[in-house]
């Protein structure tokens, strides 16, 4: 499946009052490099194994395969993960045009970083831009979770 998304920094916490729900995410990477990733994720009480390919268009889209696995299987796969676990809370924020922004508030070594993403069905698809969105960072590898794992936000210089 082709995943098309735009990614933004978040300028304020108004997304919290607009969110229809949120959940806790813990994720690790079994392998990542050259645009390919194999990720294990716990989302509240659900487990997932995800394989992503490289982007061919500057970070706007990439192929993704995701399979739900048991919580126990996810727990076992975490033993195979590279160092650096991503810990975050995801807020689902619907907007008037029918899109839903996923706003990730990071914890641990990435505390203070808040990123919003919107998935699209076409790279040129229009979408409403909520007021909490800041600078677009689509394609900026520093904001990829697999990069935050090895170069966490707390280590960035101003």
């Amino acid at each position: 499946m082709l995943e098309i998304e735009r990614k933004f920094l978040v300028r304020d916490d108004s997304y919290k009052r607009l969110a229809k729900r949120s959940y806790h995410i813990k994720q690790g990477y079994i392998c990542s490099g050259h645009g390919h990733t194999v990720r294990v994720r716990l989302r509240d009480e659900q487990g997932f194994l995800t394989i992503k390919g490289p982007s061919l268009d500057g970070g706007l889209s990439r192929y993704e395969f995701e399979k739900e696995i048991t919580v126990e299987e996810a727990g076992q796969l975490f033993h195979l993960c590279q160092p650096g676990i991503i810990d975050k809370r995801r807020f689902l924020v619907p907007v008037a045009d029918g899109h839903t922004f996923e706003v990730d508030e990071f914890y641990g070594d990435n505390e203070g970083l808040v990123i919003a993403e919107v998935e699209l069905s076409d790279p040129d698809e229009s979408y409403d831009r909520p007021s909490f969105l800041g600078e677009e960072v689509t394609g900026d590898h520093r904001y990829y979770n697999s990069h935050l794992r090895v170069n966490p936000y707390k280590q960035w210089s101003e």
Side-chain angles (χ1 to χ4, degrees):
M1 164 185 219
L2 185 64
E3 176 187 57
I4 303 168
E5 65 184 15
R6 292 196 174 281
K7 190 177 291 223
F8 303 86
L9 296 178
V10 173
R11 67 176 75 208
D12 63 45
D13 68 354
S14 62
Y15 62 89
K16 288 183 180 181
R17 65 178 165 73
L18 301 170
K20 67 179 177 181
R21 73 174 284 209
S22 73
Y23 41 83
H24 181 252
I25 294 175
K26 174 186 166 186
Q27 67 188 37
Y29 291 83
I30 294 171
C31 65
S32 62
H34 307 292
H36 295 86
T37 60
V38 178
R39 175 185 77 200
V40 60
R41 174 183 278 178
L42 279 174
R43 184 179 73 197
D44 285 343
E45 295 301 316
Q46 289 181 286
F48 297 91
L49 180 64
T50 306
I51 302 168
K52 293 186 177 193
S55 175
L56 304 175
D57 56 7
L60 182 60
S61 65
R62 62 196 294 199
Y63 285 97
E64 174 184 281
F65 171 83
E66 185 168 77
K67 172 101 171 118
E68 187 167 355
I69 59 178
T70 68
V71 170
E72 293 78 18
E73 290 168 330
Q76 290 297 315
L77 288 173
F78 272 109
H79 294 292
L80 300 175
C81 289
Q82 299 167 333
I85 299 296
I86 298 294
D87 187 19
K88 61 187 178 179
R89 175 156 294 277
R90 174 166 288 169
F91 296 84
L92 301 180
V93 183
V95 293
D97 68 358
H99 288 98
T100 297
F101 280 81
E102 297 176 341
V103 181
D104 289 345
E105 188 178 86
F106 290 84
Y107 305 123
D109 288 344
N110 292 297
E111 185 86 31
L113 181 60
V114 183
I115 298 175
E117 298 176 349
V118 62
E119 288 197 16
L120 305 171
S121 57
D122 181 273
D124 298 319
E125 182 179 346
S126 64
Y127 54 92
D128 287 348
R129 189 180 164 99
S131 63
F132 59 80
L133 291 185
E135 174 188 353
E136 183 169 2
V137 294
T138 301
D140 187 335
H141 292 89
R142 294 177 301 162
Y143 296 100
Y144 289 8
N145 286 304
S146 59
H147 187 267
L148 291 169
R149 175 187 70 75
V150 294
N151 190 13
Y153 185 67
K154 78 173 189 177
Q155 294 178 358
W156 297 10
S157 60
E158 292 298 322

